[in-house]
Amino acid sequence: MARNYRKEYDNYQGRPEQRKRRSSRNKARRLAIKRKGKAAVAGKDIDHKDGNPMNNGASNLRVQSKSKNRSRNKQ
């Protein structure tokens, strides 16, 4: 069965609260690039230590490898 991306967007990704979370994660990436440089962030994820994507404080963000960040966030 083919994946219905339109339905996924309508039911989850397009919800106002999810759009705010996504924009906050994008903002965190832009902040990390500004602070550490594009080369330091390339190919890595920006981790929110407390798991809250709305908290973009400097002490809450860190640059991690994709595998480390995504394995930690599966819990």
Side-chain angles (χ1 to χ4, degrees):
M1 188 164 113
R3 188 169 170 181
N4 188 343
Y5 291 97
R6 179 77 249 174
K7 184 178 179 187
E8 284 182 31
Y9 184 82
D10 291 340
N11 291 337
Y12 179 70
Q13 296 171 12
R15 288 188 172 170
E17 63 273 12
Q18 180 57 26
R19 290 178 68 184
K20 287 178 187 173
R21 288 184 192 139
R22 182 172 61 243
S23 71
S24 184
R25 287 191 295 269
N26 290 338
K27 185 176 183 179
R29 184 162 195 87
R30 287 192 305 270
L31 287 169
I33 290 171
K34 188 181 255 189
R35 290 183 186 137
K36 300 189 182 274
K38 198 168 189 174
V41 178
K44 299 199 166 134
D45 280 354
I46 307 305
D47 178 39
H48 290 83
K49 293 178 186 178
D50 65 0
N52 179 6
M54 302 302 283
N55 181 1
N56 284 335
S59 63
N60 189 45
L61 298 177
R62 64 182 165 201
V63 178
Q64 282 193 327
S65 68
K66 287 181 182 180
S67 61
K68 192 171 192 177
N69 184 47
R70 295 176 189 185
S71 67
R72 182 182 88 80
N73 290 330
K74 283 184 181 181
Q75 301 169 357

